[in-house]
Amino acid sequence: MAPVYKIALIQLQPKDVAVAENFAKAESYIRKAAAQGAHLAVLPEYHLTSWCPEHAEFVSSSAESAEYLPRYQALARELNINIVPGTICEVHPLSSADGSLAPDDNNKLVNGKPVELRNMAYWISARTGTISGTYQKKNLWHPERPHLAAGFHIPHTAFDTPLLHTDGRPIRAGLLVCWDLAFPEAFRGLVADGAELVVIPSWWHLTDVDPTARALNPLCEKVFLESATVARAFENTCAVAFCNAGGVSQVAVPILGAIGGTVEVEVEEMRVVEVDFGVLGVAEGNYKVRQDMRGMGWHYGYTLYKDGTGKGKGHTEL
């Protein structure tokens, strides 16, 4: 039998810069998820601060957010649940000039010193509370670029999780964030490294496009999210856990599509979805995406590895 795991999507709607209050609500949902037998709890992007970069307290509240990562680690140990705590907008000393910073990042000061903001996602493992995976958002949405530093030079890599196949092999996962969903290349990089589950915290709202686009279709972003999430699952024979503050949160797998449907837009809700990872093997048996990627003659191997093999160090036989 294939392993079956429960994933809790916590579509939190945080208040601006109310870090302690937002954490308290997130903790309450995680405890409910654990009580329902969830193996993984996922929160949205910017779940501690909200996305309000022009707010006078945004940088200071982002600095405060770093204090909560250890608290999520303690929850993972206490409740024996894996946690992807959305993203945490972190404050770091300004990095050396490498082209990855927007022009006005030098204007951000904390205690008189220049800093940069990084949008970070983590996988915190059940029972031990250790950090198994880390990712800095690479593809920044246009309004983010004046405020955040992007992880341009960091490759997409997968990691082993405490979730296991029936033969004891760890299920490998990868992390992406929000606008990364629009880039199939990000998924290909993770799948080449063996990812079977891709977790995506997001802050994506129907109003993110301009009035011209909304006049053509007021629900265009809902269509985008419903279509792209399922497409990425099919074309990569992987599971995609997408948790979005703005709605349309879902777990998508090939063959079945969005399991249990999608969460409505602009509501706060937790949905626990049961995922049979055996479906991924059925999909790969039919589509042979990973088999093609591992082939020496794969047309697009050069886009992932210089030797053209298309083989990631942790690629998994489904």
Side-chain angles (χ1 to χ4, degrees), residues 7 68 73 154 160 197 200 207 230 240 262-263 288 291:
I7 299 177
Y68 288 84
Q73 292 178 270
I154 303 170
D160 292 344
L197 168 64
I200 311 177
T207 55
V230 172
V240 179
T262 62
V263 184
K288 305 187 188 308
Q291 177 179 312

Side-chain angles (χ1 to χ4, degrees), residues 39 76-77 79-83 123-130 162:
H39 302 91
R77 288 191 294 268
L79 302 175
N80 192 24
I81 187 173
N82 297 279
I83 303 172
W123 177 295
I124 302 171
S125 290
R127 190 175 62 80
T128 64
T130 55

Side-chain angles (χ1 to χ4, degrees), residues 143-270:
E144 292 177 312
R145 296 175 189 179
H147 305 282
L148 300 178
F152 284 136
H153 306 299
I154 303 170
H156 292 289
T157 55
F159 50 88
D160 292 344
T161 73
L163 307 179
L164 302 176
H165 289 281
T166 50
D167 61 5
R169 290 179 297 117
I171 290 175
R172 284 177 68 79
L175 296 168
L176 296 175
V177 177
C178 199
W179 188 231
D180 288 326
L181 177 68
F183 295 87
E185 299 86 349
F187 285 80
R188 281 291 194 253
L190 291 174
V191 169
D193 201 22
E196 301 154 86
L197 168 64
V198 179
V199 181
I200 311 177
S202 181
W203 184 273
W204 194 319
H205 296 262
L206 297 187
T207 55
D208 283 349
V209 292
D210 64 26
T212 303
R214 295 201 300 274
L216 292 171
N217 181 3
L219 297 178
C220 62
E221 298 307 278
K222 184 173 186 288
V223 174
F224 191 139
L225 295 176
E226 289 175 336
S227 303
T229 306
V230 172
R232 298 293 173 264
F234 268 88
E235 67 195 13
N236 293 287
T237 59
C238 69
V240 179
F242 177 78
C243 186
N244 181 35
V248 202
S249 297
Q250 61 187 283
V251 177
V253 297
I255 305 295
L256 300 178
I259 306 171
T262 62
V263 184
E264 291 300 314
V265 299
E266 306 301 340
V267 300
E268 185 167 285
E269 179 182 331
M270 182 179 77

